[in-house]
Amino acid sequence: EQYGIHPLRSRVIYNGADPSLFYPTEDPLPMDSILRLVAVSWSMNIHKGFAKLAEISQIPGVEIRFIGRWPPSIDTAKVILLGTKTSPQIAEILRQSHAMVHAAENDPCSNAIIEALACGLPVLFKDTGGNRELAGDYGIALTNNAKTDIEQLRCSYKELREKILEHRSRF
């Protein structure tokens, strides 16, 4: 629309997660004093948000487990590195988490977000690229105040999870 293009028929076509692997648990993980976040990236490009993940990992009451490859030039802080995993292993780790954090900049269409949503996880996301289009209704946009973002996620967790489960067929 910005460039004057108005197709007669158009729609967003989502990448779909394999529902035999990526599905939610019957009951969400109990929300105790630890908020268990998961992040996923195969790429070690610094624009994938590694520094933000490290920053968030230092917030009291937050645990971040990272699946994929972490660049050696960026301090992990308290991020728990799980290494690369198969799709079934990733799905299981997602189901053992409360939410996903996706701090990548200008990611056009993250399969990791889609897989997390298919598992019923709300998403903390960097509001660039296609992240808002995927996760905007099902998560919290990261700001410059990660503590506030985490608190907002905690407060709206139940509502976000219910919304995700209601719209799960989209993922």
Side-chain angles (χ1 to χ4, degrees), residues 8-24:
L8 296 176
R9 291 178 287 137
S10 66
R11 63 186 171 121
V12 174
I13 299 173
Y14 296 96
N15 291 345
D18 180 345
S20 71
L21 295 175
F22 297 96
Y23 54 87

Side-chain angles (χ1 to χ4, degrees), residues 87-100:
S87 291
Q89 291 170 323
I90 292 170
E92 188 58 36
I93 294 166
L94 290 172
R95 285 189 289 277
Q96 295 168 1
S97 305
H98 291 112
M100 176 195 212

Side-chain angles (χ1 to χ4, degrees), residues 44-116:
M44 290 192 291
N45 183 315
I46 61 166
H47 297 292
K48 291 294 183 176
F50 298 102
K52 187 69 168 181
L53 296 175
E55 173 193 334
I56 293 170
S57 78
Q58 296 181 63
I59 297 172
V62 173
E63 174 187 281
I64 295 183
R65 295 178 298 158
F66 178 81
I67 302 167
R69 304 181 318 150
W70 189 279
S73 62
I74 298 177
D75 180 28
T76 60
K78 294 182 180 180
V79 175
I80 299 166
L81 302 181
L82 301 178
T84 58
K85 301 292 179 191
T86 64
S87 291
Q89 291 170 323
I90 292 170
E92 188 58 36
I93 294 166
L94 290 172
R95 285 189 289 277
Q96 295 168 1
S97 305
H98 291 112
M100 176 195 212
V101 59
H102 189 75
E105 296 176 29
N106 299 315
D107 220 349
C109 185
S110 169
N111 286 336
I113 289 177
I114 294 167
E115 291 167 351

Side-chain angles (χ1 to χ4, degrees), residues 128-161:
T128 64
N131 296 340
R132 176 168 292 283
E133 187 174 355
L134 293 173
D137 291 336
Y138 312 105
I140 306 296
L142 289 165
T143 67
N144 291 330
N145 189 333
K147 283 185 179 182
T148 300
D149 302 336
I150 293 294
E151 201 50 45
Q152 188 177 359
L153 176 66
R154 282 185 186 276
C155 291
S156 56
Y157 177 77
K158 184 178 178 187
E159 175 187 299
L160 288 169
R161 180 171 163 85

